[in-house]
């Protein structure tokens, strides 16, 4: 054996060792890649609904639970006086999304899509004998239930209901024909925000509406002021009351022509004043201007409702314009009130009183 043989043998062992090490490294790399792919495929597979499973979008119970629907319940005068068992009409006016956004129940832009969306809403929320919780001042105030099939008014499903009428909820306004109801009982506040009206509240409304008219219509003269409809509420449950009021005023312009304007205001306690000198400041103004001899318009405060995590309850109003109406929801952020949702204009549904049933 030459002196080179041990070196050659050592080199051969080293080469085999290197090949073995490289082979093991390659094997471990392949195994690692396979594990990563397996985990990745497992995650992707879990994120994909199983074939035949019911998704959130197609589950009526999930939609009702996760997207509570707010309704306006309307009675005519004879129905409102009938007491328990009164027949009214429920009109959907808003949905509350899981994240707290408030949206209209029908959002499609085309009439055909809106009609399909309205029918889908009815099949989900308006099943026979389904109950709704009435709200007054944001708190639970009674119950109604669906007692008939939905009728499409345009693209909006309206449904007859039986249960407590407005007069059963206590005195609000002698002309009240609409209250709120919601599909999810968890949205009832612990106490009502309704507060009694005092002389100071009506005086604050008089001063506010006259100042608004001077600011918005400086060249017009008010010749006739209608009776102010004033409601007082504690919208944030801090013990201080807010004022919500509307009034129709007839105006004369510079040419001698007449027109009418409906003024809706929300006034909050002026915290810059002392307790010994209370006052109110206007924080929201809504206006509806129409011809003196033309179709009438109105802005009607319906009620407050605690729909989101906002500090203040939301305010629901109905805007009437001739033969059509729409419902709008106002919400207060840190400083101002804004409209966050509105239904499509629609004709107000009506049903005769069927309280004898």
């Amino acid at each position: 054996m030459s002196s080179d043989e041990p070196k050659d043998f050592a080199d051969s062992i080293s080469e085999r060792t290197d090949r073995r090490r490289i082979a093991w490294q390659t094997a471990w790399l392949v195994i690692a890649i396979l594990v990563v792919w397996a985990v990745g495929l497992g995650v992707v597979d879990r994120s994909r609904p199983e074939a035949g499973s019911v998704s959130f979008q197609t589950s009526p119970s999930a939609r009702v639970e996760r997207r509570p629907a707010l309704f306006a319940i309307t009675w005519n005068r004879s129905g409102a006086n009938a007491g328990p068992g009164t027949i009214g009409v429920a009109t959907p006016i808003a949905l509350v999304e899981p994240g707290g956004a408030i949206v209209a129940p029908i959002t499609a832009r085309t009439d055909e899509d809106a009609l399909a969306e309205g029918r889908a809403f009815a099949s989900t929320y308006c099943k026979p004998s389904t109950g709704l919780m009435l709200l007054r001042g944001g708190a639970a105030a009674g119950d109604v239930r669906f007692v008939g099939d939905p009728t499409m008014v345009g693209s909006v499903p309206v449904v007859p209901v039986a249960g407590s009428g407005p007069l059963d909820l206590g005195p609000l306004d002698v002309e009240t024909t609409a209250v709120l109801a919601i599909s999810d009982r968890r949205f009832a506040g612990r106490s009502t925000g309704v507060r009694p009206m005092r002389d100071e509240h009506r005086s604050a409304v008089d001063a506010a509406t006259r100042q608004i008219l001077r600011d918005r219509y400086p060249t017009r003269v008010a010749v006739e002021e209608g009776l102010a409809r004033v409601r007082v509420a504690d919208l944030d449950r801090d013990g201080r009351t807010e004022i919500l009021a509307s009034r129709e005023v007839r105006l004369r312009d510079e040419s001698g022509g007449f027109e009418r304007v409906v003024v809706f205001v929300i006034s909050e306690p002026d915290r810059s004043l002392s307790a010994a000198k209370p006052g109110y400041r206007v924080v929201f103004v809504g206006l509806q201007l129409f011809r003196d001899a033309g179709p009438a318009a109105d802005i009607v405060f319906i009620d407050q409702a605690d729909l989101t995590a906002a500090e203040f309850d939301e305010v629901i109003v109905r805007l009437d314009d001739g033969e059509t109406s729409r419902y709008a929801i106002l919400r207060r952020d840190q400083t101002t009130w804004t409209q966050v949702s509105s239904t499509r204009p629609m004709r107000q549904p009506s049903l005769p009183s069927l309280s004898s049933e």
Side-chain angles (χ1 to χ4, degrees):
M1 181 180 295
S2 68
S3 60
D4 291 337
E5 286 181 355
K7 182 179 179 181
D8 293 339
F9 180 72
D11 289 344
S12 177
I13 294 175
S14 176
E15 289 174 0
R16 287 198 301 270
T17 303
D18 289 342
R19 285 196 297 269
R20 189 180 297 112
R21 178 171 51 82
I22 292 172
W24 276 109
Q25 287 178 343
T26 302
W28 280 113
L29 180 61
V30 171
I31 292 171
I33 292 173
L34 291 175
V35 170
V36 170
W37 273 100
V39 172
L41 289 173
V43 170
V44 171
D45 184 64
R46 283 194 298 271
S47 66
R48 186 179 302 152
E50 296 180 4
S53 65
V54 179
S55 68
F56 165 69
Q57 287 77 10
T58 59
S59 169
S61 61
R63 287 176 61 87
V64 170
E65 180 181 352
R66 295 185 60 184
R67 303 181 73 204
L70 185 70
F71 294 80
I73 309 296
T74 306
W75 286 265
N76 56 28
R77 289 312 307 161
S78 59
N81 288 319
T86 295
I87 295 293
V89 180
T91 302
I93 61 177
L95 288 170
V96 184
E97 298 284 6
I102 301 173
V103 299
I106 312 299
T107 58
R109 295 186 177 182
T110 67
D111 291 342
E112 183 179 358
D113 290 344
L115 182 59
E117 192 174 358
R119 287 172 174 165
F121 178 96
S123 67
T124 299
Y125 289 90
C126 305
K127 298 183 183 301
S129 300
T130 297
L132 299 175
M133 179 181 63
L134 295 178
L135 297 172
R136 182 187 181 215
D143 296 279
V144 294
R145 71 184 187 281
F146 295 129
V147 293
D149 296 325
T151 299
M152 303 304 294
V153 179
S155 60
V156 180
V158 299
V159 193
V161 295
S164 304
L167 298 186
D168 302 311
L169 309 183
L172 283 173
D173 183 319
V174 293
E175 296 301 321
T176 294
T177 59
V179 295
L180 297 178
I182 197 163
S183 63
D184 192 329
R185 304 187 70 87
R186 293 174 296 179
F187 281 73
R190 283 183 262 179
S191 61
T192 180
V194 176
R195 299 292 182 266
M197 186 185 68
R198 307 184 187 281
D199 289 341
E200 65 188 69
H201 301 136
R202 189 170 292 279
S203 297
V205 171
D206 291 341
T209 53
R210 289 167 186 168
Q211 184 61 54
I212 290 168
L213 293 174
R214 286 194 295 268
D215 294 341
R216 302 295 178 95
Y217 307 106
T219 62
R220 294 173 173 85
V221 178
V223 296
E224 181 183 339
E225 293 184 354
L227 180 67
R229 293 166 295 178
V230 183
R231 297 274 289 276
V232 181
D234 188 353
L235 297 175
D236 59 353
R237 307 303 199 277
D238 69 346
R240 302 184 183 187
T241 56
E242 286 74 35
I243 303 173
L244 306 103
S246 57
R247 162 179 277 163
E248 181 182 310
V249 181
R250 191 177 188 220
L251 303 173
R252 184 178 66 240
D253 60 25
E254 293 176 303
S255 65
F258 294 93
E259 56 191 354
R260 294 177 182 269
V261 62
V262 176
V263 182
F264 172 77
V265 298
I266 301 177
S267 295
E268 295 179 355
D270 191 343
R271 288 168 171 78
S272 65
L273 300 177
S274 65
K277 186 182 178 182
Y280 289 87
R281 61 187 182 91
V282 175
V283 293
F284 181 86
V285 177
L287 300 170
Q288 289 263 66
L289 187 66
F290 57 100
R291 294 195 307 271
D292 189 46
D298 203 354
I299 304 175
V300 181
F301 169 61
I302 303 300
D303 209 338
Q304 66 193 84
D306 187 7
L307 304 177
T308 69
E311 182 180 359
F312 284 71
D313 284 4
E314 282 69 37
V315 167
I316 294 86
V317 297
R318 191 186 70 229
L319 296 95
D320 300 330
D321 188 2
E323 296 182 349
T324 64
S325 300
R326 64 185 180 90
Y327 290 90
I329 298 183
L330 312 178
R331 183 168 61 193
R332 188 185 189 277
D333 59 18
Q334 296 298 320
T335 57
T336 59
W337 286 88
T338 56
Q339 177 180 304
V340 296
S341 176
S342 174
T343 63
R344 284 184 160 205
M346 61 172 289
R347 290 179 178 271
Q348 276 293 305
S350 62
L351 283 178
S353 174
L354 300 174
S355 57
S356 60
E357 292 187 353

